[in-house]
Amino acid sequence: MMHPNCRLETLRLSRCSLSKISCDSLASALRSNPSHLRVLDLSGNQLKDPGDPLCKLETLSLSDCSLSEISCDSLASALRSNPSHLRELDLSGNKLKDPAVKLLCGFLQDPLCKLETLRLKYCSLSAISCDSLGSALRSNPSHLRVLELSGNQLQDSGVKLLCGFLHFPNCRLETLRELDLSENQLKDPGVKLLCGFLQDPLCELETLRVLDLSNNTLQDSGVKRLCSGLESPNCKLETLRLRYCRLSEISCDSLASALRSNPSHLRELDLSHNQLQDPGVKLLCGFLHFPNCRLETLRLRSCSLSEISCDSLASALRSNPSHLRELDLSQNQLQDSGVKLLSDLVENPHYGLETLRQ
């Protein structure tokens, strides 16, 4: 039992070899003194399907805990009885599957639910979960800011269902900060749907800041569609991640053109593990040269680059030296001559470049 004078606000017990017995003991202690604990992290323990100690928790992390549908039923029930405090819920790395998410959506539909962050990465979900989430969020649309669904099998059909919520007239999309759909088998049709809400002024996406579509087979055609959304004055993305998307130099041309037309918001661009090659980086530098470019982080890891790309990048940064802080060119064939060109910029206080990875 917790001491009455205990004022503990954060308790992290991740990867401590805990079991359901530990969780039961913790729940008993919290019931005896529920008023102060705000953050509870039990990730990486084999809890399986415990009762959930909630009280006035604001952050609950139960990732990689071998949970199942039974946990979501218990959790949704507990949250409905005490819905107004929780702001972040992380259930990633559990094989919840679609029926579990449908149970969890019973909590999301509660008008008192104020959840801002929902993480469901690698939960064995399909398009059916997108339908459940879309329905729940249409009934209570105004609070969610971060939605992580990476590492599931949503496919294009799931994105179509999710976009049904994104286009809903009462959807308060100005609150959605981060949308992670990496590793979901998305292709060109799915990107086309995403572009719809990036372009649509009625969706009020002024504050969508982070979009991660990595590990999807977008290819150049998908990125071209995406760029039609990036050109929209309503799009104010700050972070765009497109790792492992089977892109070529054609995508660099599309991105450079789109970003020149709407250049001032993007702060981080990750195109790692695509076959961009030196001509692609040269095209991308057309955006880096642009006076209104505010890019701070550029990641081009394993993009089949040589010292020629270093020359292009060094030239672009010399013409617009103040913003780029981090440049990742690791796992490329840059050679010493290429690295020296960029290392000289790091050492020169006139330039903002602080971190060079090669």
Side-chain angles (χ1 to χ4, degrees), residues 134-135 137-141 161-173 197 200 202-204:
S135 177
L137 295 172
R138 278 194 296 271
S139 66
N140 186 19
L161 291 166
L162 190 63
C163 286
F165 157 64
L166 299 176
H167 282 292
F168 191 65
N170 293 328
C171 173
R172 304 293 196 274
L173 273 177
F197 74 76
D200 190 348
L202 298 177
C203 284
E204 302 180 3

Side-chain angles (χ1 to χ4, degrees), residues 197-214:
F197 74 76
L198 283 172
Q199 291 176 288
D200 190 348
L202 298 177
C203 284
E204 302 180 3
L205 272 171
E206 280 82 357
T207 57
L208 181 65
R209 295 295 185 255
V210 180
L211 180 60
D212 192 341
L213 297 175
S214 301

Side-chain angles (χ1 to χ4, degrees), residues 227-278:
C227 285
S228 64
L230 297 177
E231 290 173 350
S232 171
N234 294 318
C235 177
K236 294 181 172 58
L237 279 181
E238 294 179 357
T239 297
L240 177 61
R241 300 187 181 114
L242 298 171
R243 301 183 297 268
Y244 293 102
C245 286
R246 300 187 185 180
L247 310 183
S248 76
E249 66 181 85
I250 297 171
S251 291
C252 290
D253 192 20
S254 300
L255 283 166
S257 176
L259 292 172
R260 279 196 301 269
S261 68
N262 188 17
S264 61
H265 301 287
L266 199 70
R267 299 293 185 270
E268 177 182 335
L269 178 61
D270 192 344
L271 297 173
S272 299
H273 301 282
N274 292 290
Q275 294 297 308
L276 306 182
Q277 304 186 61
D278 297 323

